[in-house]
């Protein structure tokens, strides 16, 4: 029996075996610390309170390899950035819906898209199509209802020529 135990004892004392054992222990320790670091990084992305981030990191550190699994059961379901983006999207949708609720720019009375003037303060909101009478937006060049060309609302450059000081217009 001593002959069978002797080769095992010789192999355990072998420097190569000691090196392999030490490398395996180092690998296990590095993996353990890596899981704790992952827990810390994930907790920072999901939890605002620094004390809770620290507590989550401790849970990820102790017990080894079991802590991150425990953390994964109790961590918040979404990242903080995702929650903020969702809130911004909701605010943007609310603003778009508020724009649908049109109001007069002067008195803030509620107006319909078909109104030409505000019924409260008589402010001109839109112009009417000269052909069909439908309300037109100020930038439209053609009436979408009857396809009539709309004359520009602003004066052209020819209309804006300033007569010379002598009272005569050019070309006369």
């Amino acid at each position: 029996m001593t002959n069978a135990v002797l080769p095992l004892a010789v192999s355990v004392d072998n420097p190569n075996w000691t090196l392999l054992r030490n490398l395996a222990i180092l690998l296990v320790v590095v993996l353990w610390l890596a899981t704790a670091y992952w827990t810390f990084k994930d907790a920072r992305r999901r939890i605002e309170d620094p004390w809770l981030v620290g507590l989550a990191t401790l849970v990820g550190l102790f017990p080894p390899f079991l802590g991150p699994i425990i953390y994964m059961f109790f961590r918040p379901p979404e990242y903080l950035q995702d929650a903020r983006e969702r809130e911004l999207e909701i605010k943007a949708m609310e603003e778009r819906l508020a724009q649908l609720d049109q109001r007069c720019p002067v008195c803030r009375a509620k107006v319909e898209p078909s109104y030409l003037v505000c019924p409260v303060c008589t402010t001109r909101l839109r112009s009417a199509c000269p052909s069909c009478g439908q309300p037109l937006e100020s930038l439209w060049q053609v009436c979408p209802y009857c396809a009539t060309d709309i004359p520009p609302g602003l004066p052209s450059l020819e209309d804006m020529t300033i007569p010379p000081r002598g009272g005569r217009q050019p070309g006369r």
Side-chain angles (χ1 to χ4, degrees):
M1 257 198 214
T2 40
N3 288 342
V5 175
L6 186 59
L8 182 61
V10 169
S11 66
V12 172
D13 290 335
N14 187 352
N16 290 333
W17 174 253
T18 305
L19 178 66
L20 186 63
R21 183 195 67 206
N22 290 344
L23 286 175
I25 291 172
L26 178 67
L27 178 68
V28 168
V29 169
V30 167
L31 286 176
W32 172 48
L33 293 176
T35 58
Y37 181 71
W38 173 84
T39 304
F40 168 72
K41 294 292 283 185
D42 190 68
R44 274 196 1 196
R45 291 178 69 190
R46 294 177 186 265
I47 304 171
E48 285 186 69
D49 188 11
W51 287 100
L52 290 177
V53 171
L55 180 65
T57 304
L58 286 176
V59 167
L61 198 56
F62 301 107
F65 300 108
L66 185 61
I69 296 171
I70 294 170
Y71 164 74
M72 285 176 33
F73 283 123
F74 295 104
R75 70 182 182 175
E78 64 183 351
Y79 294 126
L80 293 173
Q81 183 177 359
D82 293 341
R84 288 183 188 121
E85 285 178 6
R86 186 183 67 247
E87 290 172 7
L88 286 175
E89 287 176 6
I90 289 172
K91 284 183 183 178
M93 282 189 257
E94 288 173 350
E95 288 176 5
R96 274 186 250 132
L97 288 174
Q99 287 176 354
L100 293 177
D101 181 31
Q102 294 183 353
R103 303 223 174 242
C104 172
V106 176
C107 68
R108 305 302 299 157
K110 192 171 184 178
V111 295
E112 296 292 325
S114 61
Y115 289 177
L116 298 176
V117 294
C118 174
V120 176
C121 67
T122 66
T123 301
R124 186 164 210 54
L125 301 172
R126 290 174 190 81
S127 59
C129 174
S131 175
C132 68
Q134 291 289 333
L136 302 173
E137 295 292 328
S138 60
L139 296 177
W140 288 353
Q141 297 177 8
V142 174
C143 176
Y145 305 104
C146 65
T148 303
D149 287 332
I150 307 299
L154 296 176
S156 64
L157 284 176
E158 293 83 26
D159 297 337
M160 296 184 68
T161 55
I162 300 171
R165 291 187 182 191
R168 289 185 286 149
Q169 291 188 6
R172 287 193 185 180

